[in-house]
């Protein structure tokens, strides 16, 4: 029952993030189309290439790495320390999920107003939003899995 209650609280805590994800505008809308020439863009230009690291993915990887360390240690004191670090990492991740995309949302609304309300219909905006929502759902699923694994570890520590 404790697991269900904590998962329910966790899911409701992240629910506001879904609302903002569903309303986000296509990020590429404020970028100019790529030039036909083979010249490289200037370094000062706003770039989100493949080299950029997504903080959400980076945070999730840290959480999963911590859980791996928790599972692989036999020292109770070390487990408790890692569990505290894992909990803080999960809290940080939830904050990131809730706030992801908010600056782009305001810029997207301004762009849509300038374009006469057709912002989402241009350049595949709806599909991009769908993709982002799917990514957030995957992130939430992984966070819930981490929460369940964490609770199992805590219960095994309490039995000792």
């Amino acid at each position: 029952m404790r697991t269900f209650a904590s998962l329910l609280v966790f899911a409701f805590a992240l629910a506001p993030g879904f609302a903002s994800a569903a309303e986000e505008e296509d990020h590429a809308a404020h970028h100019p189309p790529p030039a036909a020439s083979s010249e490289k863009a200037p370094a000062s230009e706003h770039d989100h290439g493949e080299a950029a690291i997504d903080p959400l993915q980076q945070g999730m990887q840290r959480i999963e790495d911590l859980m791996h360390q928790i599972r692989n240690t036999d020292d109770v004191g070390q487990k408790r320390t890692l569990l505290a670090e894992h909990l803080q990492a999960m809290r940080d991740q939830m904050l990131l999920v809730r706030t992801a995309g908010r600056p782009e949302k305001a810029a997207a609304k301004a762009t849509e107003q300038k374009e006469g309300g057709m912002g989402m219909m241009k350049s595949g905006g709806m599909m991009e939003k769908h993709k982002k929502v799917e990514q957030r759902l995957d992130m939430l699923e992984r966070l819930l899995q981490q929460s369940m694994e964490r609770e199992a570890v805590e219960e095994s520590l309490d039995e000792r």
Side-chain angles (χ1 to χ4, degrees):
M1 184 66 182
R2 182 176 159 218
T3 302
F4 178 73
S6 64
L7 290 176
L8 191 60
V9 169
F10 185 71
F12 281 118
L14 294 174
F18 283 121
S20 68
E23 296 173 1
E24 285 181 19
E25 181 59 37
D26 180 21
H27 181 84
H30 75 272
H31 291 282
S37 69
S38 62
E39 288 183 18
K40 203 172 188 182
S44 64
E45 189 174 313
H46 191 91
D47 186 21
H48 292 287
E50 293 177 350
I53 298 174
D54 182 13
L56 288 172
Q57 292 298 328
Q58 189 177 26
M60 197 65 227
Q61 184 62 46
R62 179 171 180 258
I63 290 169
E64 290 170 345
D65 289 345
L66 283 168
M67 183 53 71
H68 181 72
Q69 289 176 346
I70 291 167
R71 280 190 244 115
N72 290 330
T73 188
D74 293 327
D75 181 21
V76 175
Q78 181 69 15
K79 268 191 195 225
R80 290 187 193 280
T81 302
L82 289 170
L83 279 168
E85 195 174 331
H86 183 264
L87 180 61
Q88 185 58 47
M90 287 184 67
R91 287 178 177 155
D92 294 344
Q93 186 72 4
M94 288 183 351
L95 182 63
L96 274 175
V97 168
R98 275 190 232 140
T99 59
R102 289 196 179 155
E104 291 94 5
K105 182 179 171 183
K109 283 190 178 188
T111 301
E112 185 176 342
Q113 287 175 351
K114 279 195 263 181
E115 295 176 354
M118 294 295 292
M120 195 181 329
M121 299 304 285
K122 292 183 179 180
S123 71
M126 187 69 79
M127 291 305 292
E128 284 298 315
K129 281 188 177 199
H130 180 72
K131 181 179 173 185
K132 287 180 182 182
V133 169
E134 282 183 340
Q135 288 172 342
R136 284 179 154 216
L137 285 172
D138 179 57
M139 182 79 56
L140 287 174
E141 183 179 328
R142 290 167 62 192
L143 280 168
L144 286 172
Q145 179 65 33
Q146 288 294 311
S147 181
M148 291 186 301
E149 288 182 37
R150 175 186 175 70
E151 190 147 336
V153 170
E154 286 177 334
E155 287 175 4
S156 71
L157 284 176
D158 290 342
E159 292 173 359
R160 290 185 181 184

